[in-house]
Each structure stands twice: as structure tokens, then as C-alpha cells.
Amino acid sequence: AHARLNPMATISPVSSGTSAASSATETTTRLPQKVLGQQDFMKLLAVQFQMQDPMKPMEDTAFIAQTAQFTALENSTAMTSELARLRQDQQRAVANSYLGHRVTVELADGKTVTGPVSAIENSASGPQLVVNGEKHALSAVLRVEPGLVSAPATAPAKTGA
């Protein structure tokens, strides 16, 4: 029997802390992600192919299962972003429906303001209702009342026929 080499023995140890710290400032900092993405899945799959035993290649069913999981991940990601767009559209539609209506909104200090919605401003955080010249988040609305109803225009009087 012959001795097996330890693959870890060929890895050089990390040098002193000062050179490691200086090299860390030269390279870009990697920010951890909370969700594995499409690129991460492809990298894992490529590494799995490289590291598999040639005498026991991955079975077709395992590869198909992983491909199906990847497809499900892509579909889930697409659905999540589509639902976010749908939510934004719904919020804009609700905000627009308040135009001309009298609303009561809650301020950050717990006080309330009541007045007609004169405009809608879209911001990165969502639509903002303009009430009495001040912007308020759609989520701050406590009450909605019908707007002022103007009297219908009178038809011109008919003159002699």
C-alpha cells in the first residue's frame, strides 16, 4: 500500500496580518447575498460536474431534478417581480381614485389632517397624496369621503319656437 497525499498540505498558509490587510484594501469587498441567484446555481452545477467521479457520473434523473429546481427558481423570481409591479400599479390606481375626495390622514405624531386630495405624486416609496399642500403616504389614509359635488350645468333656455 502506498501513502495518500494530503491535498490540504499543498495549500500555502496565510502570511502575516499586515499583508493580508493591505491586500484586502486593494480588492473589492464582497457583499453577502441572502438569495442564491441564477448565476450561483450555474456555478454550483458546473463545479458539481467538474468534481464528479468519472466512474460514477451523475444520473440523468438527478440532473433533470436539478434543472427542474432551477426552472422553478427562475419562475418564482419572475413571479415575485411581476407581483411587485402589480402592487405598484394597484397603489397608483387607488391613489388616483382619491383625487377630489376628502381624506383624513394620520401624521407621524399621531395627529390627523383632513382635506381634499388635490394631486398625486409618484415617488420611489409609492404614490403620495397631496392634501392641503402637503404630501402623505397612501398608507396614512384613515378615512375617505366623497368630494364636493358641483351642481350640474343648466341647459340654455330655449328661445321661441
Side-chain angles (χ1 to χ4, degrees):
H2 51 80
R4 296 187 79 192
L5 292 176
N6 181 355
M8 296 303 287
T10 60
I11 298 175
S12 62
V14 175
S15 57
S16 72
T18 55
S19 64
S22 65
S23 66
T25 57
E26 295 172 6
T27 61
T28 58
T29 305
R30 182 184 181 281
L31 298 175
Q33 295 178 342
K34 293 181 182 179
V35 179
L36 290 178
Q38 185 176 8
Q39 292 294 349
D40 298 317
F41 181 82
M42 295 306 283
K43 286 178 187 175
L44 286 171
L45 193 58
V47 169
Q48 186 176 5
F49 279 137
Q50 291 172 354
M51 302 305 283
Q52 73 180 344
D53 183 354
M55 302 309 275
K56 293 191 238 172
M58 185 188 308
E59 293 182 25
D60 290 345
T61 56
F63 178 73
I64 291 169
Q66 288 181 343
T67 304
Q69 288 175 341
F70 176 67
T71 302
L73 172 68
E74 281 185 317
N75 290 340
S76 176
T77 303
M79 187 184 312
T80 300
S81 60
E82 189 62 33
L83 283 173
R85 282 191 295 271
L86 183 61
R87 182 173 184 259
Q88 290 171 347
D89 290 345
Q90 182 65 27
Q91 285 180 334
R92 280 193 290 271
V94 168
N96 285 334
S97 74
Y98 290 166
L99 273 172
H101 286 73
R102 184 177 166 88
V103 296
T104 300
V105 293
E106 185 174 20
L107 303 176
D109 62 5
K111 294 180 182 178
T112 59
V113 172
T114 301
V117 177
S118 59
I120 306 297
E121 290 197 18
N122 288 311
S123 69
S125 62
Q128 303 278 312
L129 307 177
V130 178
V131 179
N132 298 333
E134 296 289 323
K135 291 186 251 179
H136 303 280
L138 186 60
S139 60
V141 175
L142 298 174
R143 180 181 171 107
V144 181
E145 301 172 29
L148 297 175
V149 178
S150 58
T154 56
K158 293 185 180 179
T159 54

